[in-house]
């Protein structure tokens, strides 16, 4: 069974769709390495796009190099809404019955994310220390026998690969990538930084060169 769902992503990345109302999660320890399944849900999400690598860096709350040491897959649901401001509560103005139906619809069509634990080996920007383990959320994953995939997302993989991640912060929530293609890079053995997909930027150079670029951008803010 193949199902396609459209998801409108607001703010900087996937979790920002829930940032205004907060989110709660029901987790599974299956992770991204769960057995393959014939049941697939394909997400199509609209992410903010950037004109250059510099623009991604400028918008990032943190830029780090690191390796994946673990992951989990979980269902994300909006918390119970509060307040009358539509900017912070998308359900403002709905009757109690309508709000209940809206939540039931969200529960029937959950957003599935994979949260990877990333051990930081180098900090290029942001309030993250070398040796810290941070969590990074990506749309998709295998949950209760169903494979959820986002068309532009390359999942972070455990196994020794080094990544450069350009991240948005959401308080106590996991970080997420500003854009699944433009904010995710691998680091080769010689230190060269390479986009994981054709939608990423070329010319990042080696990690030291990228770190110098990030530093220059930070000074000019």
């Amino acid at each position: 069974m193949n199902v396609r769902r459209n998801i409108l992503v607001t703010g900087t990345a996937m979790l920002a769709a829930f940032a205004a109302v907060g989110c709660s999660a029901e987790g599974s320890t299956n992770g991204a390495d769960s057995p393959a399944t014939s049941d697939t849900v394909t997400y199509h999400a609209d992410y903010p796009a950037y004109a250059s690598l510099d623009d991604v860096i400028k918008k990032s709350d943190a830029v780090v190099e690191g390796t994946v040491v673990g992951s989990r897959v979980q269902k994300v649901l909006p918390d119970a809404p509060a307040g009358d401001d539509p900017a912070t509560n998308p359900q403002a103005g709905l009757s109690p019955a309508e709000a209940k139906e809206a939540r039931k619809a969200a529960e029937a069509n959950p957003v599935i994310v994979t949260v990877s634990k990333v051990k930081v080996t180098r900090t290029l920007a942001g309030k993250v220390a070398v040796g810290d383990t941070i969590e990074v959320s990506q749309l998709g994953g295998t949950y209760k026998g169903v494979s959820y995939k986002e068309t532009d997302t390359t999942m972070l993989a455990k196994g020794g690969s080094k990544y450069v991640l350009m991240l948005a912060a959401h308080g106590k929530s996991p970080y997420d990538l500003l854009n699944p293609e433009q904010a995710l890079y691998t680091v080769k053995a010689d230190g060269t930084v390479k986009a994981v997909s054709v939608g990423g930027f070329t010319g990042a150079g080696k990690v030291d060169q990228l770190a110098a670029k990030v530093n220059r951008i930070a000074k000019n803010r």
Side-chain angles (χ1 to χ4, degrees):
M1 176 183 66
N2 291 293
V3 179
R4 182 179 177 87
R5 292 182 189 161
N6 291 321
I7 296 177
L8 177 62
V9 180
T10 59
T12 55
M14 203 292 301
L15 284 183
F18 298 100
V21 294
C23 66
S24 59
E26 176 183 322
S28 166
T29 58
N30 290 339
D33 298 325
S34 297
T37 174
S38 59
D39 292 333
T40 301
V41 174
T42 300
Y43 292 131
H44 179 72
D46 293 321
Y47 289 86
Y50 300 89
S52 68
L53 183 61
D54 286 22
D55 287 344
V56 182
I57 293 169
K58 288 175 185 176
K59 292 292 185 180
S60 297
D61 294 311
V63 180
V64 302
E65 176 194 78
T67 58
V68 178
V69 296
S71 66
R72 69 180 183 275
V73 178
Q74 63 187 40
K75 178 173 68 174
V76 180
L77 295 170
D79 284 336
D84 298 323
D85 184 357
T88 58
N89 176 13
Q91 296 183 20
L94 297 181
S95 68
E98 289 171 333
K100 183 178 179 180
E101 286 302 311
R103 183 166 182 85
K104 283 174 64 178
E107 290 174 349
N109 296 283
V111 173
I112 302 301
V113 300
T114 296
V115 180
S116 297
K117 293 183 177 180
V118 177
K119 185 72 174 266
V120 177
T121 55
R122 182 168 181 173
T123 300
L124 286 72
K127 298 178 180 179
V128 182
V130 172
D132 283 355
T133 299
I134 62 173
E135 293 189 330
V136 179
S137 180
Q138 293 177 285
L139 187 58
T142 299
Y143 185 82
K144 293 187 176 180
V146 178
S147 177
Y148 297 82
K149 297 180 179 180
E150 199 281 315
T151 52
D152 297 321
T153 294
T154 300
M155 287 296 181
L156 295 169
K158 184 179 176 182
S161 296
K162 277 190 177 181
Y163 296 98
V164 168
L165 311 171
M166 299 173 186
L167 303 168
H170 302 288
K172 294 182 180 180
S173 299
Y175 288 93
D176 54 2
L177 298 162
L178 275 82
N179 178 291
E181 297 181 290
Q182 297 177 327
L184 177 57
Y185 298 80
T186 56
V187 181
K188 294 185 176 181
D190 66 354
T192 300
V193 178
K194 182 180 180 181
V196 298
S197 71
V198 294
F201 295 107
T202 59
K206 295 190 175 182
V207 176
D208 286 345
Q209 294 171 306
L210 182 60
K213 177 192 285 285
V214 172
N215 188 50
R216 287 195 300 271
I217 290 172
K219 287 182 177 179
N220 290 328
R221 282 181 173 174

